[in-house]
Amino acid sequence: MPQLSDDDIKSLIADGDVFAISIDTAVFDGKQKTFHNAVLQRLDQFHQRDVGVVFVDIIAQEMKSHLRDDAIEAQRALKKALRSHNKRWRRETSNGEAADLLINADATEFARAEFDAFRQHVNGDEIAAGETPDAVMKVFDRYFAGSPPFGAADKRKSEFPDAFALLRLEALADEEGRKLICVSPDNGWLDFASQSDHLICVPRLEDALALFNAADQHVADAIVERWRQSEGGDFIEDISRAFEYRLDDLDFDIDGHADILFEAEPLSAALQYVLPDKIGPPTVIAVDGETVTFTVRVDALVGFEALFSFYVTDSVDRDDVGLGSEEAYVERTLSFELTITADRSLEDRPEFHEVEVAKKRFEVDFGYVEAFPNEDPTHEKY
Protein backbone atom coordinates (compact mmCIF):
# COMPACT_ATOMS: atom_id res chain seq x y z
CA MET A 1 0.00 0.00 0.00
CA PRO A 2 1.11 3.61 -0.34
CA GLN A 3 3.07 4.91 2.63
CA LEU A 4 0.84 4.95 5.70
CA SER A 5 1.48 6.73 8.97
CA ASP A 6 1.47 4.82 12.24
CA ASP A 7 -1.85 6.44 13.08
CA ASP A 8 -3.31 5.23 9.77
CA ILE A 9 -2.24 1.66 10.52
CA LYS A 10 -3.55 1.86 14.08
CA SER A 11 -6.93 2.98 12.71
CA LEU A 12 -7.01 0.01 10.33
CA ILE A 13 -6.23 -2.31 13.25
CA ALA A 14 -8.88 -0.72 15.46
CA ASP A 15 -11.47 -1.07 12.69
CA GLY A 16 -10.66 -4.76 12.21
CA ASP A 17 -9.23 -4.23 8.73
CA VAL A 18 -5.99 -6.10 9.53
CA PHE A 19 -6.54 -9.87 9.59
CA ALA A 20 -3.00 -11.31 9.76
CA ILE A 21 0.71 -10.72 10.29
CA SER A 22 3.66 -12.50 8.67
CA ILE A 23 7.44 -12.23 9.04
CA ASP A 24 10.36 -12.48 6.61
CA THR A 25 13.49 -14.59 7.10
CA ALA A 26 15.47 -11.40 7.74
CA VAL A 27 13.45 -10.84 10.92
CA PHE A 28 14.41 -14.30 12.21
CA ASP A 29 18.05 -13.75 11.26
CA GLY A 30 18.02 -10.41 13.11
CA LYS A 31 16.93 -12.20 16.28
CA GLN A 32 20.14 -14.27 16.33
CA LYS A 33 18.40 -17.11 14.48
CA THR A 34 16.59 -18.43 17.52
CA PHE A 35 12.85 -18.94 17.84
CA HIS A 36 13.23 -18.47 21.59
CA ASN A 37 13.89 -14.74 21.22
CA ALA A 38 11.56 -12.82 23.55
CA VAL A 39 10.21 -10.55 20.80
CA LEU A 40 9.48 -13.40 18.39
CA GLN A 41 7.76 -15.28 21.20
CA ARG A 42 5.29 -12.40 21.63
CA LEU A 43 3.67 -13.27 18.35
CA ASP A 44 1.66 -15.54 20.66
CA GLN A 45 -0.56 -12.60 21.59
CA PHE A 46 -2.46 -12.70 18.31
CA HIS A 47 -4.39 -15.86 19.08
CA GLN A 48 -6.33 -13.73 21.59
CA ARG A 49 -7.20 -11.26 18.83
CA ASP A 50 -8.94 -11.66 15.51
CA VAL A 51 -5.51 -11.66 13.82
CA GLY A 52 -3.69 -14.66 12.40
CA VAL A 53 0.04 -15.41 12.30
CA VAL A 54 0.94 -16.69 8.84
CA PHE A 55 4.12 -18.34 7.61
CA VAL A 56 4.66 -18.90 3.90
CA ASP A 57 6.24 -22.33 3.50
CA ILE A 58 9.14 -21.05 1.41
CA ILE A 59 10.05 -18.51 4.12
CA ALA A 60 9.61 -21.11 6.85
CA GLN A 61 12.02 -23.37 4.97
CA GLU A 62 14.56 -20.54 4.72
CA MET A 63 14.39 -19.93 8.47
CA LYS A 64 14.86 -23.61 9.19
CA SER A 65 17.80 -23.86 6.79
CA HIS A 66 19.51 -20.85 8.40
CA LEU A 67 19.08 -22.40 11.85
CA ARG A 68 20.31 -25.76 10.54
CA ASP A 69 23.44 -24.19 9.04
CA ASP A 70 24.21 -22.38 12.30
CA ALA A 71 23.73 -25.60 14.26
CA ILE A 72 26.07 -27.48 11.90
CA GLU A 73 28.71 -24.76 12.21
CA ALA A 74 28.47 -24.96 16.01
CA GLN A 75 28.95 -28.73 15.82
CA ARG A 76 32.03 -28.29 13.62
CA ALA A 77 33.53 -25.75 16.00
CA LEU A 78 32.90 -28.03 18.96
CA LYS A 79 34.48 -31.01 17.20
CA LYS A 80 37.56 -28.98 16.37
CA ALA A 81 37.87 -27.65 19.92
CA LEU A 82 37.47 -31.13 21.40
CA ARG A 83 40.11 -32.61 19.09
CA SER A 84 42.56 -29.90 20.10
CA HIS A 85 41.69 -30.31 23.78
CA ASN A 86 42.03 -34.09 23.71
CA LYS A 87 45.35 -33.91 21.88
CA ARG A 88 46.80 -31.34 24.25
CA TRP A 89 45.70 -33.20 27.38
CA ARG A 90 46.33 -36.66 25.91
CA ARG A 91 42.73 -37.45 26.71
CA GLU A 92 40.64 -40.31 25.36
CA THR A 93 37.07 -39.55 24.30
CA SER A 94 34.65 -41.02 26.82
CA ASN A 95 31.81 -43.32 25.84
CA GLY A 96 28.63 -41.42 25.10
CA GLU A 97 30.36 -38.04 24.94
CA ALA A 98 29.30 -37.36 21.34
CA ALA A 99 25.70 -38.14 22.17
CA ASP A 100 25.70 -36.02 25.32
CA LEU A 101 27.15 -33.04 23.43
CA LEU A 102 24.88 -33.57 20.38
CA ILE A 103 27.98 -33.53 18.18
CA ASN A 104 26.44 -35.90 15.63
CA ALA A 105 22.80 -34.92 16.14
CA ASP A 106 20.68 -34.29 13.04
CA ALA A 107 20.71 -30.50 12.59
CA THR A 108 17.91 -30.66 10.01
CA GLU A 109 15.63 -32.45 12.45
CA PHE A 110 16.62 -30.02 15.21
CA ALA A 111 15.69 -27.00 13.07
CA ARG A 112 12.40 -28.57 12.04
CA ALA A 113 11.45 -29.35 15.64
CA GLU A 114 12.36 -25.82 16.75
CA PHE A 115 10.20 -24.23 14.05
CA ASP A 116 7.28 -26.57 14.69
CA ALA A 117 7.35 -25.81 18.42
CA PHE A 118 7.48 -22.07 17.69
CA ARG A 119 4.63 -22.25 15.19
CA GLN A 120 2.50 -24.11 17.71
CA HIS A 121 3.39 -21.61 20.45
CA VAL A 122 2.18 -18.65 18.37
CA ASN A 123 -0.75 -20.59 16.87
CA GLY A 124 0.65 -19.92 13.41
CA ASP A 125 -0.61 -21.24 10.09
CA GLU A 126 1.69 -22.35 7.28
CA ILE A 127 0.52 -21.66 3.74
CA ALA A 128 1.98 -22.95 0.47
CA ALA A 129 3.57 -20.45 -1.90
CA GLY A 130 2.69 -22.73 -4.83
CA GLU A 131 -1.03 -22.19 -4.27
CA THR A 132 -0.87 -18.68 -5.74
CA PRO A 133 -2.79 -18.69 -9.05
CA ASP A 134 -0.34 -18.48 -11.98
CA ALA A 135 2.51 -18.09 -9.48
CA VAL A 136 5.38 -18.98 -11.83
CA MET A 137 4.17 -16.73 -14.62
CA LYS A 138 3.67 -13.79 -12.24
CA VAL A 139 7.09 -14.25 -10.66
CA PHE A 140 8.89 -14.37 -13.99
CA ASP A 141 6.94 -11.36 -15.27
CA ARG A 142 8.27 -9.41 -12.30
CA TYR A 143 11.76 -10.85 -12.72
CA PHE A 144 12.15 -9.73 -16.33
CA ALA A 145 10.48 -6.37 -15.67
CA GLY A 146 12.72 -5.73 -12.64
CA SER A 147 9.61 -5.14 -10.52
CA PRO A 148 9.68 -5.53 -6.70
CA PRO A 149 10.92 -7.54 -4.96
CA PHE A 150 13.45 -7.88 -7.80
CA GLY A 151 15.98 -5.09 -7.78
CA ALA A 152 19.39 -4.66 -9.41
CA ALA A 153 20.14 -7.23 -12.11
CA ASP A 154 23.11 -8.73 -10.27
CA LYS A 155 20.97 -9.55 -7.24
CA ARG A 156 17.68 -10.59 -8.83
CA LYS A 157 18.16 -14.35 -8.70
CA SER A 158 18.33 -14.31 -4.89
CA GLU A 159 14.89 -12.69 -4.68
CA PHE A 160 12.85 -15.61 -6.07
CA PRO A 161 11.79 -16.95 -2.63
CA ASP A 162 10.65 -13.46 -1.60
CA ALA A 163 8.70 -13.03 -4.83
CA PHE A 164 6.78 -16.29 -4.37
CA ALA A 165 6.15 -15.49 -0.69
CA LEU A 166 4.90 -11.96 -1.30
CA LEU A 167 2.60 -13.00 -4.14
CA ARG A 168 1.11 -15.68 -1.87
CA LEU A 169 0.54 -13.20 0.95
CA GLU A 170 -1.03 -10.72 -1.46
CA ALA A 171 -3.34 -13.38 -2.86
CA LEU A 172 -4.36 -14.41 0.66
CA ALA A 173 -5.15 -10.82 1.62
CA ASP A 174 -7.08 -10.32 -1.61
CA GLU A 175 -9.19 -13.39 -0.84
CA GLU A 176 -9.82 -12.08 2.69
CA GLY A 177 -10.63 -8.57 1.48
CA ARG A 178 -8.59 -7.03 4.31
CA LYS A 179 -5.02 -5.96 5.02
CA LEU A 180 -2.05 -8.08 6.03
CA ILE A 181 0.98 -6.71 7.85
CA CYS A 182 4.27 -8.23 6.72
CA VAL A 183 7.42 -7.53 8.68
CA SER A 184 10.75 -7.18 6.90
CA PRO A 185 13.66 -4.73 6.72
CA ASP A 186 14.29 -5.84 3.13
CA ASN A 187 13.78 -3.11 0.51
CA GLY A 188 12.24 -5.64 -1.86
CA TRP A 189 9.45 -6.34 0.61
CA LEU A 190 8.95 -2.66 1.35
CA ASP A 191 8.82 -1.76 -2.34
CA PHE A 192 6.44 -4.63 -3.14
CA ALA A 193 4.06 -3.62 -0.35
CA SER A 194 4.10 0.02 -1.46
CA GLN A 195 2.59 -1.12 -4.78
CA SER A 196 0.11 -3.54 -3.24
CA ASP A 197 -3.51 -2.84 -2.33
CA HIS A 198 -3.43 -5.37 0.47
CA LEU A 199 0.01 -5.55 2.10
CA ILE A 200 1.48 -3.19 4.69
CA CYS A 201 5.20 -3.69 5.34
CA VAL A 202 6.81 -2.66 8.65
CA PRO A 203 10.62 -2.95 8.89
CA ARG A 204 10.91 -3.94 12.59
CA LEU A 205 8.88 -6.56 14.44
CA GLU A 206 8.96 -4.45 17.61
CA ASP A 207 7.32 -1.56 15.74
CA ALA A 208 4.71 -3.85 14.20
CA LEU A 209 3.77 -5.23 17.63
CA ALA A 210 3.67 -1.70 19.03
CA LEU A 211 0.95 -0.77 16.52
CA PHE A 212 -1.34 -3.30 18.22
CA ASN A 213 -0.46 -2.16 21.75
CA ALA A 214 -0.33 1.62 21.46
CA ALA A 215 -2.88 2.14 24.26
CA ASP A 216 -0.31 1.12 26.89
CA GLN A 217 2.60 3.17 25.60
CA HIS A 218 2.17 5.67 28.44
CA VAL A 219 2.65 2.86 30.99
CA ALA A 220 6.01 1.85 29.54
CA ASP A 221 7.05 5.50 29.25
CA ALA A 222 6.33 6.05 32.95
CA ILE A 223 8.19 2.89 34.02
CA VAL A 224 11.29 3.80 32.02
CA GLU A 225 11.23 7.37 33.34
CA ARG A 226 11.20 6.07 36.92
CA TRP A 227 14.09 3.80 36.01
CA ARG A 228 16.07 6.76 34.64
CA GLN A 229 15.51 8.72 37.83
CA SER A 230 16.22 5.86 40.22
CA GLU A 231 19.47 5.22 42.03
CA GLY A 232 18.51 1.81 43.36
CA GLY A 233 15.61 -0.45 44.15
CA ASP A 234 14.68 -4.06 43.57
CA PHE A 235 13.94 -3.50 39.89
CA ILE A 236 17.50 -2.25 39.37
CA GLU A 237 18.65 -5.56 40.81
CA ASP A 238 16.39 -7.33 38.29
CA ILE A 239 18.17 -5.50 35.49
CA SER A 240 21.58 -6.40 36.92
CA ARG A 241 20.66 -10.09 37.24
CA ALA A 242 19.51 -10.16 33.61
CA PHE A 243 22.80 -8.66 32.49
CA GLU A 244 24.72 -11.11 34.65
CA TYR A 245 22.89 -14.03 33.06
CA ARG A 246 23.50 -12.77 29.54
CA LEU A 247 27.13 -11.74 30.04
CA ASP A 248 27.94 -15.11 31.57
CA ASP A 249 26.97 -16.51 28.17
CA LEU A 250 28.75 -13.83 26.16
CA ASP A 251 31.44 -15.02 23.78
CA PHE A 252 33.12 -11.87 22.55
CA ASP A 253 35.68 -11.36 19.81
CA ILE A 254 38.98 -9.80 20.84
CA ASP A 255 40.95 -7.10 19.07
CA GLY A 256 44.25 -5.70 20.26
CA HIS A 257 47.94 -5.43 19.44
CA ALA A 258 51.25 -6.36 21.05
CA ASP A 259 54.94 -6.41 20.20
CA ILE A 260 54.90 -10.16 19.59
CA LEU A 261 52.47 -12.75 18.27
CA PHE A 262 49.60 -13.81 20.50
CA GLU A 263 46.37 -15.74 20.75
CA ALA A 264 43.55 -14.41 22.94
CA GLU A 265 40.51 -15.95 24.59
CA PRO A 266 37.64 -14.38 26.57
CA LEU A 267 37.64 -14.91 30.33
CA SER A 268 34.75 -12.86 31.67
CA ALA A 269 32.36 -9.98 31.10
CA ALA A 270 30.61 -8.12 33.92
CA LEU A 271 28.16 -5.23 34.00
CA GLN A 272 29.43 -2.14 35.80
CA TYR A 273 26.31 0.00 35.39
CA VAL A 274 23.67 1.15 32.92
CA LEU A 275 24.02 4.80 31.90
CA PRO A 276 20.76 6.47 33.06
CA ASP A 277 20.89 9.17 30.40
CA LYS A 278 21.33 6.53 27.69
CA ILE A 279 18.14 4.58 28.35
CA GLY A 280 16.12 4.90 25.17
CA PRO A 281 12.36 5.21 24.63
CA PRO A 282 10.41 1.98 25.17
CA THR A 283 8.44 0.15 22.50
CA VAL A 284 5.41 -1.77 23.79
CA ILE A 285 5.19 -5.19 22.14
CA ALA A 286 2.51 -6.94 24.24
CA VAL A 287 -0.02 -6.34 27.03
CA ASP A 288 -2.36 -8.46 29.06
CA GLY A 289 -4.64 -7.83 32.02
CA GLU A 290 -1.87 -7.11 34.52
CA THR A 291 1.44 -6.71 32.65
CA VAL A 292 3.04 -4.78 29.82
CA THR A 293 6.00 -6.03 27.79
CA PHE A 294 8.29 -3.58 26.06
CA THR A 295 11.71 -3.37 24.48
CA VAL A 296 14.23 -0.66 25.29
CA ARG A 297 17.76 0.05 24.09
CA VAL A 298 20.33 0.99 26.72
CA ASP A 299 24.02 1.79 26.88
CA ALA A 300 25.94 -0.03 29.59
CA LEU A 301 29.51 0.01 30.83
CA VAL A 302 30.87 -3.54 30.80
CA GLY A 303 34.19 -4.83 32.08
CA PHE A 304 35.88 -7.42 29.86
CA GLU A 305 38.74 -9.72 30.80
CA ALA A 306 40.77 -11.80 28.36
CA LEU A 307 43.83 -14.04 28.40
CA PHE A 308 46.61 -13.21 25.94
CA SER A 309 49.02 -16.09 25.26
CA PHE A 310 52.25 -14.95 23.60
CA TYR A 311 54.47 -17.00 21.33
CA VAL A 312 57.15 -16.89 18.65
CA THR A 313 57.55 -19.12 15.62
CA ASP A 314 60.74 -21.19 15.47
CA SER A 315 62.64 -20.22 12.33
CA VAL A 316 63.89 -23.77 11.75
CA ASP A 317 60.91 -26.10 12.05
CA ARG A 318 58.19 -23.38 12.20
CA ASP A 319 56.81 -24.62 15.51
CA ASP A 320 55.14 -22.11 17.81
CA VAL A 321 57.03 -21.62 21.07
CA GLY A 322 55.00 -20.29 23.99
CA LEU A 323 56.43 -17.38 25.98
CA GLY A 324 53.85 -17.08 28.72
CA SER A 325 50.54 -15.29 29.09
CA GLU A 326 48.96 -12.21 30.62
CA GLU A 327 45.42 -11.32 31.63
CA ALA A 328 44.10 -7.98 30.42
CA TYR A 329 41.07 -5.98 31.52
CA VAL A 330 39.21 -3.13 29.80
CA GLU A 331 35.88 -1.37 30.23
CA ARG A 332 33.77 -0.50 27.22
CA THR A 333 30.37 1.17 26.75
CA LEU A 334 28.11 -0.94 24.54
CA SER A 335 24.47 -0.87 23.41
CA PHE A 336 22.06 -3.62 24.44
CA GLU A 337 18.43 -4.40 23.61
CA LEU A 338 16.30 -5.39 26.62
CA THR A 339 12.85 -6.97 26.67
CA ILE A 340 11.04 -6.26 29.94
CA THR A 341 7.73 -7.50 31.31
CA ALA A 342 6.43 -5.33 34.16
CA ASP A 343 3.25 -4.63 36.10
CA ARG A 344 0.91 -2.20 34.35
CA SER A 345 0.10 -0.65 37.71
CA LEU A 346 1.92 2.61 38.35
CA GLU A 347 0.83 2.99 41.97
CA ASP A 348 4.11 1.70 43.40
CA ARG A 349 7.65 1.23 42.20
CA PRO A 350 8.05 -0.65 38.90
CA GLU A 351 7.64 -4.39 39.39
CA PHE A 352 9.59 -6.37 36.81
CA HIS A 353 8.49 -9.95 36.17
CA GLU A 354 10.97 -10.82 33.46
CA VAL A 355 13.99 -9.10 31.93
CA GLU A 356 15.89 -10.48 28.96
CA VAL A 357 19.02 -9.01 27.43
CA ALA A 358 19.17 -9.94 23.75
CA LYS A 359 22.11 -12.03 22.64
CA LYS A 360 24.71 -10.13 20.70
CA ARG A 361 28.29 -10.83 19.80
CA PHE A 362 30.77 -8.02 20.36
CA GLU A 363 34.29 -7.21 19.31
CA VAL A 364 36.19 -5.73 22.25
CA ASP A 365 39.29 -3.67 21.59
CA PHE A 366 41.89 -4.21 24.32
CA GLY A 367 44.30 -1.77 22.69
CA TYR A 368 47.99 -2.33 23.33
CA VAL A 369 48.72 -5.34 25.52
CA GLU A 370 52.17 -5.47 27.10
CA ALA A 371 53.62 -8.95 26.85
CA PHE A 372 55.70 -8.97 30.03
CA PRO A 373 54.57 -6.09 32.27
CA ASN A 374 56.12 -7.50 35.45
CA GLU A 375 59.54 -8.23 34.04
CA ASP A 376 62.39 -6.26 35.61
CA PRO A 377 64.21 -4.48 32.75
CA THR A 378 67.35 -4.06 34.92
CA HIS A 379 67.65 -7.81 35.54
CA GLU A 380 70.45 -9.42 33.57
CA LYS A 381 70.28 -13.03 32.58
CA TYR A 382 73.44 -15.07 32.25
Side-chain angles (χ1 to χ4, degrees):
M1 292 190 69
Q3 186 67 38
L4 298 176
S5 68
D6 286 353
D7 288 340
D8 292 333
I9 302 174
K10 291 173 188 175
S11 294
L12 290 171
I13 293 171
D15 293 340
D17 289 331
V18 174
F19 78 99
I21 185 170
S22 186
I23 64 172
D24 178 25
T25 309
V27 176
F28 172 70
D29 290 348
K31 301 304 180 188
Q32 293 76 49
K33 301 178 186 177
T34 171
F35 293 112
H36 298 279
N37 175 269
V39 179
L40 284 174
Q41 289 281 306
R42 293 329 302 258
L43 284 168
D44 65 352
Q45 66 189 276
F46 290 107
H47 78 275
Q48 300 174 352
R49 307 170 183 259
D50 187 24
V51 177
V53 178
V54 178
F55 301 99
V56 183
D57 59 354
I58 199 167
I59 298 298
Q61 190 59 42
E62 277 191 337
M63 291 189 285
K64 287 183 280 188
S65 68
H66 289 192
L67 177 56
R68 178 204 63 207
D69 292 347
D70 261 24
I72 290 173
E73 183 57 36
Q75 287 175 319
R76 287 173 180 164
L78 181 56
K79 288 178 183 178
K80 181 179 179 181
L82 276 174
R83 283 197 298 269
S84 176
H85 176 73
N86 291 341
K87 180 180 179 181
R88 177 61 61 190
W89 289 85
R90 300 190 300 277
R91 173 182 176 270
E92 294 294 330
T93 301
S94 61
N95 293 332
E97 181 178 70
D100 290 342
L101 296 175
L102 305 178
I103 289 178
N104 299 315
D106 187 336
T108 299
E109 176 60 25
F110 164 71
R112 184 200 62 77
E114 288 286 285
F115 173 78
D116 287 348
F118 172 68
R119 184 176 59 80
Q120 292 174 15
H121 173 74
V122 302
N123 290 273
D125 294 317
E126 188 170 333
I127 59 176
E131 293 180 358
T132 308
D134 301 318
V136 174
M137 182 187 69
K138 290 178 179 178
V139 167
F140 274 99
D141 283 346
R142 286 182 171 270
Y143 174 76
F144 288 112
S147 300
F150 297 104
D154 60 337
K155 297 181 180 179
R156 284 184 193 171
K157 293 182 180 180
S158 64
E159 303 297 340
F160 274 101
D162 288 347
F164 278 101
L166 287 163
L167 285 169
R168 183 66 184 97
L169 292 173
E170 186 176 46
L172 178 65
D174 185 30
E175 295 167 8
E176 185 70 22
R178 292 191 287 169
K179 313 301 180 190
L180 183 149
I181 291 180
C182 49
V183 186
S184 175
D186 187 272
N187 286 332
W189 283 61
L190 292 164
D191 292 342
F192 186 101
S194 70
Q195 300 177 12
S196 169
D197 293 331
H198 306 288
L199 301 184
I200 301 168
C201 191
V202 179
R204 296 178 70 246
L205 180 56
E206 291 87 344
D207 293 338
L209 298 178
L211 295 169
F212 290 88
N213 297 285
D216 276 71
Q217 183 62 46
H218 71 287
V219 177
D221 289 338
I223 291 172
V224 168
E225 184 56 32
R226 292 186 185 183
W227 179 15
R228 291 191 187 106
Q229 301 301 325
S230 174
E231 295 182 357
D234 292 343
F235 68 101
I236 297 296
E237 294 180 9
D238 292 338
I239 297 291
S240 298
R241 281 195 295 270
F243 266 98
E244 180 181 358
Y245 175 77
R246 175 53 59 227
L247 293 174
D248 278 348
D249 191 38
L250 185 63
D251 184 16
F252 54 89
D253 296 320
I254 298 170
D255 190 17
H257 58 278
D259 295 328
I260 58 176
L261 298 173
F262 66 85
E263 291 182 350
E265 61 178 296
L267 291 180
S268 67
L271 174 71
Q272 306 305 300
Y273 55 84
V274 174
L275 283 65
D277 60 337
K278 295 296 184 179
I279 301 173
T283 299
V284 178
I285 62 172
V287 296
D288 59 28
E290 297 181 352
T291 65
V292 56
T293 301
F294 58 90
T295 62
V296 60
R297 182 170 291 276
V298 305
D299 285 357
L301 184 69
V302 178
F304 294 94
E305 191 174 24
L307 179 68
F308 287 78
S309 298
F310 302 99
Y311 65 93
V312 293
T313 301
D314 188 288
S315 60
V316 177
D317 54 19
R318 311 305 297 173
D319 284 342
D320 293 338
V321 179
L323 299 177
S325 61
E326 292 291 339
E327 294 182 7
Y329 175 86
V330 295
E331 293 183 349
R332 295 287 183 260
T333 299
L334 303 171
S335 293
F336 294 85
E337 188 83 20
L338 276 63
T339 302
I340 298 173
T341 299
D343 274 353
R344 293 174 67 187
S345 174
L346 299 175
E347 294 181 0
D348 236 329
R349 65 171 178 81
E351 183 74 31
F352 290 176
H353 294 272
E354 186 175 356
V355 181
E356 178 178 296
V357 181
K359 289 184 178 179
K360 187 177 180 181
R361 192 175 180 90
F362 299 98
E363 181 176 85
V364 181
D365 185 2
F366 280 76
Y368 174 74
V369 180
E370 189 174 354
F372 310 108
N374 298 318
E375 186 175 273
D376 184 357
T378 66
H379 178 69
E380 295 184 4
K381 296 180 180 178
Y382 297 95

